[in-house]
Amino acid sequence: MALSSSQRAALAAIDAASDELRELSLEIHARPELGYEETHAHGVLSDYLEGAGYVVERGAHGLATSFRATAGSGEPVVAALCEYDALPALGHACGHNLIAAAGVAVGLGLRAGLEAGDAGGTVMILGTPAEERGGAGKARLIDAGAFDGVHAAVMTHPGMGDHARSSSLAHRGLRIVFHGRASHAAGAPWLGLNALDAVILGFSSLGLLRQQLQPSHRVHGVITHGGDSPNIIPERTEAQLLIRAPTREEVDALRERVLSCFRGAAEQTGCTLEPTWAEYPYENLIQSPPLADAYAEHFEALGGEIQPPRMGGSTDMGNVTHVMPGLHPHFRIPAERGNHTRPFTDAAITPEAHEAMLRSARALCLAALRIYTDADFRAEVRLAFERADPS
């Protein structure tokens, strides 16, 4: 494939920054931080982008660990997104250190491509905190106006395969609290109302419900508080759950069935149930077909091989793709097991993972660059989004 001067400049900028991008990735990986607590990653990325000549707003859009870095001016505007939160206990078991480096790489390439050609526009690199555990950083940023005036948003995610069009499950988080009555577990257990029995009974009912769920539906959770001492009948227990399905409408139908499991447990144990739904649901991904096709073309021209689409987990990038065109491909890193495992944490800092990230970032940058340089392509991206009718 013959490359234009803008495309060659974009790829050269990413290649020139390879060592610095790897250092960013390693530094973020070494200091894993949970959602909305990513002060180190926020500082490292903001410092780097300021040093690279971007105008950086720290603590952007009312979120302390979000940042907004811009270069250029006018329209169109493409946002390259960075994630950098980690998982409890496992650290960067979803490779968000690589996502952060990839977002920077795409932004660097887009700026260089614009500077080398005749097209104008604004390059935005947006730091989006708290994707994991239902943190919904991107949904909060949408509400805060972070994506106003943006023509498309792109990011790339490590996984176990190279995919351009994979979708994701919508989900909604549920916090369950049971209130019982404490009593001496040996001296007078009959005077207690056992909140631990209630949460266990709720999970048992949920296990039976799973037999009748659609294969694409998922319900899973953990007990986060089971009591205070074995010699006290537990008076308070707590659990966190995620309800997932291909669309939010399916999630909404499923969550009532899930909640009924815990309502029944409360009635049978005499406890009271206090359910709280997460403020922000996660939407399913709507991948932009023109952007996905352009990404796949460039990815394979760079020596990769795109695999058939698959259904992934859940991401608040789905929320973004319901309000504007977006692309969220996956790239394979050499992990023994998939995301959210310790082997994936280890694989996310290998040289092979870095090279895989660079190839994906190059392809994503070249695909996004067409939004600036090709008015017909830009119109095609917009029309495909409008036809998808995400509303």
Side-chain angles (χ1 to χ4, degrees):
M1 180 190 302
L3 297 177
S4 68
S5 58
S6 292
Q7 291 174 322
R8 289 195 300 272
L11 294 181
I14 294 173
D15 291 344
S18 174
D19 290 345
E20 295 171 347
L21 294 168
R22 178 150 171 77
E23 286 303 313
L24 286 174
S25 173
L26 294 175
E27 190 160 353
I28 291 170
H29 190 282
R31 294 268 298 271
E33 299 164 302
L34 300 182
Y36 297 118
E37 299 174 6
E38 314 100 319
T39 55
H40 176 70
H42 171 272
V44 165
L45 293 165
S46 297
D47 288 347
Y48 177 81
L49 290 167
E50 281 184 346
Y54 284 79
V55 177
V56 178
E57 178 188 353
R58 300 174 188 243
H61 304 287
L63 299 182
T65 54
S66 174
F67 66 84
R68 176 189 180 102
T70 56
S73 62
E75 295 184 344
V77 182
V78 174
L81 308 188
C82 298
E83 294 176 359
Y84 34 85
D85 60 324
L87 288 158
L90 298 180
H92 279 287
C94 211
H96 288 195
N97 58 301
L98 292 166
I99 296 174
V104 172
V106 171
L108 294 175
L110 289 176
R111 183 181 68 174
L114 291 185
E115 291 174 347
D118 298 328
T122 301
V123 177
M124 179 195 302
I125 304 174
L126 188 63
T128 63
E131 185 274 337
E132 298 287 4
R133 304 194 301 159
K138 295 181 191 63
R140 295 180 186 276
L141 287 168
I142 291 170
D143 281 356
F147 292 95
D148 292 354
V150 175
H151 292 75
V154 298
M155 60 171 287
T156 185
H157 198 301
M160 297 297 286
D162 293 310
H163 308 282
R165 287 177 177 255
S166 293
S167 188
S168 69
L169 294 168
H171 85 53
R172 192 149 200 177
L174 173 62
R175 176 176 176 261
I176 290 290
V177 178
F178 282 107
H179 299 282
R181 183 168 62 231
S183 183
H184 197 293
W190 55 87
L191 297 178
L193 296 174
N194 197 315
L196 182 58
D197 285 352
V199 76
I200 290 173
L201 188 58
F203 271 90
S204 297
S205 298
L206 188 61
L208 295 173
L209 173 64
R210 286 194 182 100
Q211 297 177 94
Q212 273 66 56
L213 296 185
Q214 294 283 345
S216 58
H217 293 182
R218 300 284 187 272
V219 183
H220 41 91
V222 293
I223 298 173
T224 53
H225 183 73
D228 299 301
S229 177
N231 62 350
I232 304 171
I233 298 296
E235 65 178 350
R236 181 185 179 280
T237 54
E238 181 178 337
Q240 299 278 351
L241 297 99
L242 288 176
I243 293 88
R244 306 190 200 231
T247 66
R248 181 150 50 120
E249 290 74 20
E250 292 173 88
V251 170
D252 289 342
L254 178 57
R255 66 182 184 144
E256 289 306 310
R257 300 181 71 188
V258 171
L259 193 54
S260 68
C261 294
F262 293 93
R263 288 192 183 114
E267 183 175 348
Q268 292 174 72
T269 58
C271 296
T272 59
L273 171 65
E274 181 189 345
T276 305
W277 292 100
E279 180 181 3
Y280 289 99
Y282 278 30
E283 303 283 3
N284 58 298
L285 273 169
I286 302 175
Q287 305 277 30
S288 167
L291 281 170
D293 289 346
Y295 173 84
E297 180 183 1
H298 290 299
F299 188 84
E300 294 194 335
L302 291 166
E305 182 178 349
I306 292 294
Q307 298 168 311
R310 60 179 294 274
M311 182 66 73
S314 303
T315 171
D316 57 1
M317 181 62 175
N319 297 57
V320 176
T321 65
H322 278 246
V323 298
M324 70 181 57
L327 188 65
H328 181 284
H330 286 79
F331 61 92
R332 186 184 69 83
I333 68 171
E336 296 176 7
R337 292 200 297 277
N339 302 61
H340 295 206
T341 66
R342 295 189 187 281
F344 202 90
T345 306
D346 297 337
I349 53 170
T350 60
E352 294 83 2
H354 177 70
E355 290 302 319
M357 178 277 292
L358 286 179
R359 178 161 57 192
S360 183
R362 293 183 190 107
L364 190 58
C365 177
L366 293 180
L369 186 61
R370 288 189 63 186
I371 292 175
Y372 298 97
T373 61
D374 186 339
D376 290 340
F377 180 77
R378 183 164 67 248
E380 182 185 358
V381 168
R382 184 66 201 179
L383 181 60
F385 171 75
E386 291 171 352
R387 287 176 172 169
D389 190 20
S391 61

